Amino acid sequence: MDLLIYSASFCLHVLTVYCHFVDVVVDRYDIPRVCPREVETDDFIRYHFNGTFFEDGKKFDSSYDRGKAFISQVGFGRLIAGMDRGLQGMCVNEKRRITIPPHLAYGSIGAGGVIPPDAVLVYDILLLDIWNEEDKVDIRSFGKPAACERITKTSDFIRYHYNGTLLSGAAFDSSYARNSTYDAYLGQGDLIKGMDEGLLGMCVGERRIIIVPPFLAYGETGHGTSVPPQATLVFEVLLVDVFNPKDDLMFVVKEVPEGCTRRTVSGDYIRYHYNGSFQDGTAFDSSYKRNSTYNTYIGKRYVIPGMDKALHGLCIGEKRRITIPPHMAYGEEGVVDLIPGSAVLVFDIHVIDFHNPEDTVDIKVTHKPQECTVTSEADDLIQYRYNCSLMDGTLLYSSDQFDYPSITTLGANMVIPGLEEGLRGMCVGERREVVAPPHWGHGENGAGDVPGSAVLFFELELVKLQKGIPEGFMFVWLGDSPDPLFPAMDLNGDKEVPLEEFSAFIMLQVKEAKGRLRPGFDADTIIQDMFNNQDLNKDGKIIDDELKLQGESQQVRRDEL
């Protein structure tokens, strides 16, 4: 309300000046720009003052000198009448000078030995606080997040930051200054009553100003040296976290790939990426920043209990948001310099792959020619096309990067076991999809661009197949060998077989499908080696006595006739 400033009528005398005031004179010499509330009758106030005599300016009392603000109620005769009038309409942080005539002060009697009779009193006032017994907690919300999945309720445990000030704006405490949230249960007596009320119904990320009257704060006793008695408290609050001791794991499925035929179970080994944050969105960890998945067994307590539970029932490629209460995470202790005590953790995870140590190679035929009489097996030389990817679709290698299809001999340990298994039993023109778990692939250490413990996905097509011969042999008969052998080899019947005749004989057996050379090697080189091993006296020809079938002599190598 606007204050009525009463003028005083006074008389001027020639040598002595006496002002005979009719009413209180109020000089509002410092008014705050914002005044949300003015003093009214019935209000309680807390203020500092200096009291002086109008006549000579001598000080007779001061709350500053006592080091303690004065507290009283306005309008109930607890103050001198002039003060009751002069304080009306005053704002917190306002400074005013109140001049009070004797009949509205201590009159013709005075007060003890301090205030003489008929004294005009001057009070310089600084108002610090206003409250009323009818006041309630004043809650002003600002900066409320657009999405609010949960609001605080009694028995919840909350973590919040705050700046605490008196109504005058003087700071008395701040969680920010301690670099630590204030953590407490709601409605359990951990907080002053006004905060128990003011923090109800908040969302994580919401900001509020909570104004608490003294009787719902620290009352007549105050709190230490920072909060004086009968102080209204103003808290600027940011809610960081909320959970209830009865909370369980919560998750939201963000994305599930089509055709999910298998989900994680206890005992599986999983590779996944994650972003870890607190409920207010502050990040604390990320596998993406390390450019490396997090790898672990499920159900073996290698991760926090909440994550161990959350990793069940997932598909490869699935994305989930997982919210884990602290009693299923790092509890009251947290992790030093990383996770505060009693923090709710939010993980956005993306499953890259998983497998079980008992898994075998999974083979799916996507195309098979109508005629399929010859299939690949150990010792065969094959040509094949392939794409090799991670289970999330990341292409690692492809035969299309080269001019020719890849070539390998099955059973020669030239490719990883899982690929070897996937290439067996194929017809030329057949196509397959093959999933190789890491123990059939590159294992825990990985290789090249293949991460450790990665499940590999192959798309295969068999292009060419040359039947092979057993390991250690360079030529084998496909049926019974000629008996006797030497006359069959001696094509011109001259009782001796030079290299040219020997070569013609071997190639004739191959042409007529009676024998087979080891594929993947130069035929002339193989035949030369075979001839040299049979030509025992090194005279450039083989005779009947030199010819030995494989296995008849310890001196004969296994790659011979």
Side-chain angles (χ1 to χ4, degrees):
M1 77 179 80
D2 291 329
L3 290 177
L4 297 177
I5 305 176
Y6 298 95
S7 299
S9 48
F10 56 92
C11 301
L12 297 177
H13 298 276
V14 176
L15 294 175
T16 306
V17 178
Y18 291 101
C19 289
H20 300 288
F21 293 93
V22 175
D23 206 341
V24 173
V25 175
V26 176
D27 177 12
R28 303 180 68 183
Y29 61 88
D30 191 348
I31 303 173
R33 295 178 60 186
V34 179
C35 182
R37 180 175 184 175
E38 297 177 345
V39 175
E40 299 178 5
T41 299
D42 294 345
D43 284 344
F44 287 85
I45 59 172
R46 186 166 56 85
Y47 61 93
H48 269 303
F49 72 90
N50 282 320
T52 59
F53 297 116
F54 178 79
E55 184 175 6
D56 57 10
K58 183 179 179 180
K59 182 165 63 178
F60 62 83
D61 196 7
S62 173
S63 63
Y64 295 101
D65 292 346
R66 293 197 296 270
K68 184 178 180 181
F70 191 78
I71 301 170
S72 188
Q73 188 176 20
V74 177
F76 280 83
R78 298 181 181 180
L79 298 167
I80 58 176
M83 283 293 279
D84 263 345
R85 295 186 186 183
L87 291 168
Q88 291 283 341
M90 197 170 182
C91 305
V92 170
N93 286 330
E94 180 181 342
K95 295 179 181 179
R96 62 171 58 177
R97 180 171 292 117
I98 305 172
T99 304
I100 306 174
H103 64 281
L104 295 176
Y106 295 99
S108 59
I109 299 176
V114 178
I115 308 295
D118 298 320
V120 177
L121 306 181
V122 178
Y123 288 90
D124 283 285
I125 305 292
L126 170 61
L127 187 62
L128 302 174
D129 208 336
I130 311 171
W131 75 95
N132 193 287
E133 291 177 338
E134 301 300 320
D135 284 351
K136 301 182 183 303
V137 176
D138 185 4
I139 302 171
R140 305 171 188 177
S141 181
F142 66 99
K144 193 169 184 177
C148 181
E149 299 177 358
R150 175 178 187 171
I151 60 173
T152 55
K153 62 181 186 300
T154 299
S155 80
D156 280 348
F157 189 89
I158 62 173
R159 298 172 52 241
Y160 63 94
H161 271 302
Y162 71 91
N163 287 318
T165 63
L166 305 178
L167 200 60
S168 64
F172 67 84
D173 196 12
S174 173
S175 64
Y176 294 99
R178 295 190 296 273
N179 196 31
S180 175
T181 56
Y182 192 86
D183 308 341
Y185 284 97
L186 277 178
Q188 306 295 311
D190 293 350
L191 302 166
I192 58 175
K193 292 181 180 180
M195 285 297 278
D196 255 345
E197 181 181 339
L199 291 167
L200 287 173
M202 283 192 80
C203 304
V204 170
E206 181 178 349
R207 295 178 182 271
R208 283 184 178 180
I209 291 178
I210 302 172
I211 302 174
V212 183
F215 52 87
L216 293 175
Y218 294 105
E220 296 179 357
T221 58
H223 185 71
T225 58
S226 57
V227 179
Q230 300 290 43
T232 300
L233 304 183
V234 180
F235 293 91
E236 182 182 339
V237 174
L238 168 63
L239 186 63
V240 173
D241 209 345
V242 58
F243 75 93
N244 194 281
K246 297 180 181 179
D247 283 351
D248 197 358
L249 173 78
M250 295 184 292
F251 67 87
V252 176
V253 177
K254 298 290 188 179
E255 182 180 325
V256 180
E258 295 182 2
C260 176
T261 58
R262 177 178 176 181
R263 293 181 179 271
T264 53
V265 297
S266 185
D268 284 346
Y269 190 87
I270 187 171
R271 297 171 58 243
Y272 62 95
H273 271 302
Y274 71 88
N275 285 318
S277 62
F278 303 120
Q279 278 190 309
D280 65 352
T282 302
F284 65 83
D285 195 14
S286 174
S287 64
Y288 294 98
K289 290 185 177 180
R290 295 191 295 274
N291 196 30
S292 175
T293 57
Y294 190 87
N295 309 336
T296 188
Y297 282 98
I298 301 172
K300 295 191 176 183
R301 299 182 178 179
Y302 292 153
V303 291
I304 57 176
M307 184 60 80
D308 219 2
K309 184 176 181 179
L311 292 175
H312 286 77
L314 292 164
C315 298
I316 289 177
E318 183 169 347
K319 295 181 180 180
R320 284 187 181 183
R321 168 164 288 186
I322 301 166
T323 303
I324 303 176
H327 49 275
M328 299 182 74
Y330 295 100
E332 295 180 0
E333 299 300 322
V335 177
V336 176
D337 296 329
L338 182 64
I339 297 173
S342 301
V344 176
L345 305 183
V346 180
F347 291 92
D348 287 290
I349 70 168
H350 179 202
V351 181
I352 302 303
D353 66 38
F354 66 87
H355 70 277
N356 193 281
E358 303 298 323
D359 283 350
T360 57
V361 178
D362 181 42
I363 300 173
K364 178 183 177 182
V365 177
T366 58
H367 173 74
K368 196 163 191 175
Q370 291 184 350
E371 294 186 7
C372 181
T373 57
V374 180
T375 60
S376 57
E377 58 185 347
D379 301 313
D380 287 350
L381 181 71
I382 62 171
Q383 292 186 31
Y384 63 98
R385 291 191 179 94
Y386 73 92
N387 290 320
C388 176
S389 307
L390 299 178
M391 296 303 290
D392 66 351
T394 301
L395 181 65
L396 298 176
Y397 307 106
S398 175
S399 59
D400 293 340
Q401 298 169 334
F402 307 99
D403 295 333
Y404 303 99
S406 293
I407 300 174
T408 190
T409 300
L410 293 179
N413 297 321
M414 298 173 67
V415 295
I416 59 172
L419 179 56
E420 172 94 23
E421 185 72 12
L423 288 168
R424 289 175 182 263
M426 291 187 76
C427 304
V428 173
E430 182 176 340
R431 292 191 290 272
R432 290 180 174 182
E433 292 179 350
V434 176
V435 178
H439 47 278
W440 284 78
H442 293 284
E444 295 181 359
N445 296 326
D449 293 333
V450 180
S453 300
V455 179
L456 299 180
F457 177 74
F458 291 93
E459 296 172 292
L460 303 176
E461 180 184 2
L462 187 61
V463 176
K464 186 176 181 180
L465 168 62
Q466 290 179 261
K467 298 303 292 183
I469 64 175
E471 180 66 29
F473 292 79
M474 299 304 286
F475 174 88
V476 293
W477 295 101
L478 298 180
D480 293 331
S481 62
D483 189 16
L485 177 59
F486 185 79
M489 185 185 302
D490 184 13
L491 299 179
N492 60 10
D494 62 357
K495 306 299 181 179
E496 59 183 28
V497 178
L499 175 62
E500 293 79 5
E501 191 174 12
F502 180 81
S503 177
F505 171 74
I506 294 297
M507 294 305 296
L508 180 62
Q509 310 312 305
V510 172
K511 180 179 179 181
E512 295 178 352
K514 295 178 181 180
R516 181 184 299 156
L517 291 167
R518 175 170 288 278
F521 292 84
D522 179 66
D524 290 340
T525 301
I526 294 175
I527 293 172
Q528 177 73 63
D529 288 345
M530 292 171 64
F531 179 84
N532 291 340
N533 289 330
Q534 297 296 337
D535 181 15
L536 299 180
N537 62 10
K538 308 303 179 186
D539 62 354
K541 56 183 180 294
I542 300 171
I543 62 175
D544 190 18
D545 290 342
E546 291 178 308
L547 186 63
K548 299 293 182 181
L549 286 174
Q550 180 176 336
E552 290 184 2
S553 171
Q554 293 294 331
Q555 297 178 352
V556 179
R557 288 178 53 187
R558 294 181 62 203
D559 58 2
E560 302 306 330
L561 293 174

